[in-house]
Amino acid sequence: MEQNRIYFFDTTLRDGEQTPGVALQTPEKVEIAKGLVRLGIDVIEAGFPAASSGDFEAVQTIAREVKGATICGLARANEKDVQKVAEALADAERSRLHVFIATSEIHMKYKLKMTREEVLAKVKSILEFAKGKFDEIEFSGEDASRTDLDFLCEVFGVAIAGGATILNVPDTVGYMMPREFVDKIRYIREHTPGIEKAIISVHCHDDLGLANANSLAAIEAGARQVECTVNGLGERAGNVGIEEVVMALKTRHDYFGDLQVHIDTKQFTKVSKLVSRLTGVVVPPNKAIIGSNAFAHESGIHQHGMLNNPETYEIMTPESVGAEKTNIVLGKHSGRHAFDDHLKSLGFHTFTEEKINDLFMKFKALADRKKQVYDDDIIALVVDNIHHKKAFELVAQYYKLGEKGYAYADVRLMTPDGERADAAVGDGPVDASLKAVERVVGLPISLKDYQIRAITAGKDALGEATLKVEYNGRLYHGRGISTDIVKSSVNAYINAVNSVFLAMELEQQEEE
Ligand code: KIV
Ligand code: ZN
């Protein structure tokens, strides 16, 4: 480990996947992991193998197919979990176990029902069990920021003696104030036995909007690994967004001094869009670095200043994060080679010839409907066609507007029981079409949130529908794209329904 380097540990595929409503399938996770490698991430936390067979399969596939970063799996401090991680990571180029146990009084008393002595003994025994099974071991004290500091140092000391070389301090509930976090990290550095053999990591949640401030404060106090997610996804208010930490370190290198960051910041916009499209979680326009307004200057005074000297209002350039203005890239006369080259320039390197041919046909159909095809259109097309299991697929749809805003719609879907069609009347064509789909699916699924937006410029832009549905108390995201917004909406709804079915299938497998 280089002392002046900040290592980035990405948990988009684990903590990020705990975002309510997000359920990624293995091919989608592999695509994200490859994007993370292009970004230059040091460690990818690919999942929690003991959580479900789906998680195990995803971690194993990433370990086999994704090279160029350490692949990590999460485990609770029990042998079954650790064994699952070892099996899932068997083929990784470099493997890391991330093992955790809660250390705060409130978690030990009410969740674990364990004493301090029992927790210490557990840490010792689980590290003995894990020894030799991985290239490296990271240990986390869950809720560390609310843990008695001397006890935390004692636990960390036991973990280091057992072979852990990365000690993670999660601010699990996003409770820290930056100054307070600095003091804690310094205390841990000064009072943990053997800490010179390890590096300190931080994992900050954003419940009070302080995840980036706390991560940067910890770096100032000597932490050398930061755990983060793309777009700040994660439990509740999310984890710190990698783009925020990195751009703060780069933009203010005058302040942070000689710290090395090996991240290709020009990839931020692409990776952000990939993750947003695949998860269905839309990035707010005003989000730092990756929001669509992050480099937009609205007021006349600002625009005037920018024209005279961009540095008047711009502390970093859009180019530095890959957010330059979208160019028209391809049209209906573009050939297969140009399309293939373009896919590669967007980072999609690993499609088979068959897949490229299939995507090319879809691109041609799109270019017939839309004169100018932009990068974003192509990313949307690819993401929409990353293979995943679909219980339902739209075969045909039809709608007709009636009087007073009512509409009639019918849909035909491919279902697990063959083709089925149904019809409904609703308040406008989207409402009627979604009701018709609901009738075919036959489950009490309720729509919770629905948004539609144009992906690129122009009257013929692709419309992206994103929505959330609730089933059995859980939220599921869905997204769909088309130049016809009713079709985008129907596809988004079917996409969410497919996630409901996938979750039901996984639950059933777990029970068997
Ligand atoms: O927030 C948290 O404490 C976690 C741990 C598993 C590191 O995600
Ligand atoms: Zn977390």
Side-chain angles (χ1 to χ4, degrees):
M1 295 271 174
E2 298 158 40
Q3 260 320 303
N4 269 348
R5 176 161 169 198
I6 305 300
Y7 292 88
F8 286 90
F9 171 114
D10 183 279
T11 182
T12 306
L13 300 176
R14 199 277 297 167
D15 218 323
E17 220 216 358
Q18 289 169 223
T19 306
V22 171
L24 293 164
Q25 298 184 21
T26 299
E28 300 170 325
K29 290 185 182 180
V30 170
E31 221 37 71
I32 292 177
K34 288 180 181 163
L36 294 172
V37 171
R38 290 194 291 276
L39 195 58
I41 288 292
D42 300 288
V43 186
I44 297 173
E45 187 165 53
F48 185 178
S52 68
S53 49
D55 246 45
F56 180 88
E57 183 208 75
V59 177
Q60 187 174 56
T61 311
I62 290 171
R64 288 181 178 160
E65 294 183 15
V66 180
K67 306 295 167 193
T70 299
I71 308 298
C72 171
L74 182 71
R76 290 163 294 197
N78 68 62
E79 294 187 1
K80 187 177 146 280
D81 277 27
V82 171
Q83 188 55 37
K84 281 268 175 212
V85 177
E87 284 164 27
L89 295 184
D91 296 326
E93 202 170 56
R94 188 167 175 81
S95 63
R96 180 184 292 190
L97 167 70
H98 178 190
V99 60
F100 75 99
I101 191 165
T103 49
S104 65
E105 290 301 324
I106 186 165
H107 277 233
M108 289 190 295
K109 181 166 175 198
Y110 293 101
K111 196 179 77 174
L112 298 179
K113 301 191 180 4
M114 285 168 83
T115 62
R116 287 184 176 197
E117 289 67 34
E118 285 167 335
V119 167
L120 282 166
K122 190 64 160 175
V123 174
K124 188 166 182 285
S125 68
I126 200 62
L127 284 159
E128 264 161 29
F129 179 75
K131 208 167 191 155
K133 292 186 168 67
F134 306 90
D135 290 315
E136 57 203 31
I137 299 177
E138 167 170 337
F139 172 79
S140 280
E142 192 191 7
D143 206 17
S145 58
R146 294 193 300 168
T147 296
D148 173 78
L149 267 178
D150 289 321
F151 177 59
L152 186 63
C153 293
E154 195 180 346
V155 175
F156 278 172
V158 170
I160 294 170
T165 52
I166 304 102
L167 280 313
N168 186 36
V169 186
D171 185 20
T172 303
V173 289
Y175 186 66
M176 283 293 93
M177 294 292 130
R179 281 291 299 273
E180 189 185 17
F181 209 33
V182 164
D183 292 343
K184 284 191 195 269
I185 301 296
R186 286 202 178 127
Y187 193 92
I188 293 166
R189 285 185 72 193
E190 283 158 18
H191 295 87
T192 300
I195 196 72
E196 64 291 344
K197 290 185 253 164
I199 68 164
I200 296 179
S201 163
V202 287
H203 174 111
C204 298
H205 279 271
D206 207 30
D207 299 66
L208 293 172
L210 288 169
N212 191 23
N214 286 332
S215 304
L216 294 169
I219 289 173
E220 279 195 71
R224 287 294 173 265
Q225 176 180 279
V226 177
E227 301 200 352
C228 45
T229 57
V230 174
N231 299 345
L233 294 179
E235 276 281 350
R236 307 181 309 280
N239 291 65
V240 67
I242 175 159
E243 57 287 340
E244 294 186 4
V245 187
V246 170
M247 289 318 285
L249 291 173
K250 291 244 179 196
T251 308
R252 294 305 311 274
H253 60 87
D254 59 320
Y255 177 82
F256 287 101
D258 184 27
L259 287 178
Q260 303 290 312
V261 174
H262 294 197
I263 293 288
D264 178 4
T265 61
K266 288 201 167 78
Q267 298 289 326
F268 276 143
T269 306
K270 259 185 231 163
V271 175
S272 161
K273 283 183 178 166
L274 181 70
V275 170
S276 168
R277 296 263 145 72
L278 286 173
T279 55
V281 181
V282 176
V283 174
N286 59 333
K287 181 119 173 94
I289 322 291
I290 46 167
S292 55
N293 288 349
F295 295 94
H297 299 272
E298 181 71 18
S299 101
I301 297 173
H302 286 209
Q303 287 173 355
H304 182 222
M306 284 288 293
L307 286 174
N308 291 341
N309 180 347
E311 283 179 26
T312 48
Y313 287 103
E314 212 165 65
I315 58 168
M316 56 201 155
T317 64
E319 291 77 21
S320 66
V321 298
E324 46 278 70
K325 292 220 172 354
T326 337
N327 295 316
I328 300 161
V329 290
L330 297 169
K332 67 180 189 180
H333 300 298
S334 305
R336 186 180 168 308
H337 270 302
F339 179 70
D340 190 7
D341 283 351
H342 211 79
L343 280 182
K344 293 201 172 86
S345 79
L346 290 173
F348 300 109
H349 293 271
T350 49
F351 292 136
T352 58
E353 285 297 301
E354 195 187 342
K355 184 80 197 167
I356 296 171
N357 286 339
D358 174 50
L359 289 170
F360 183 62
M361 303 282 283
K362 291 191 164 110
F363 156 74
K364 279 287 187 191
L366 177 65
D368 270 343
R369 273 176 285 137
K370 232 178 150 285
K371 273 204 273 329
Q372 296 157 339
V373 180
Y374 298 83
D375 278 352
D376 281 357
D377 293 324
I378 296 181
I379 295 174
L381 188 83
V382 171
V383 163
D384 227 35
N385 285 284
I386 289 177
H387 165 79
H388 50 257
K389 272 197 257 160
K390 292 174 183 162
F392 295 87
E393 253 179 293
L394 180 64
V395 176
Q397 72 169 142
Y398 166 81
Y399 63 85
K400 193 170 132 200
L401 293 172
E403 278 182 61
K404 298 184 183 158
Y406 285 112
Y408 160 86
D410 61 49
V411 296
R412 177 172 295 279
L413 305 188
M414 182 53 80
T415 79
D417 307 315
E419 264 189 33
R420 295 267 185 281
D422 216 321
V425 171
D427 202 359
V430 172
D431 186 42
S433 304
L434 299 193
K435 279 187 176 141
V437 174
E438 213 177 297
R439 289 170 68 99
V440 174
V441 172
L443 284 180
I445 291 174
S446 53
L447 183 66
K448 285 293 164 204
D449 187 23
Y450 167 72
Q451 289 178 39
I452 189 114
R453 69 185 183 109
I455 289 186
T456 45
K459 288 202 288 292
D460 58 357
L462 281 178
E464 178 184 54
T466 49
L467 47 77
K468 277 184 218 152
V469 300
E470 191 183 298
Y471 175 69
N472 243 348
R474 273 185 65 185
L475 288 172
Y476 299 84
H477 283 267
R479 57 173 296 284
I481 52 157
S482 171
T483 46
D484 168 354
I485 59 168
V486 180
K487 193 167 176 193
S488 311
S489 310
V490 169
N491 274 327
Y493 194 72
I494 294 175
N495 187 227
V497 168
N498 281 333
S499 294
V500 172
F501 268 72
L502 183 76
M504 288 182 358
E505 204 178 287
L506 288 175
E507 263 161 39
Q508 215 172 344
Q509 280 172 13
E510 300 315 316
E511 278 163 23
E512 281 164 13

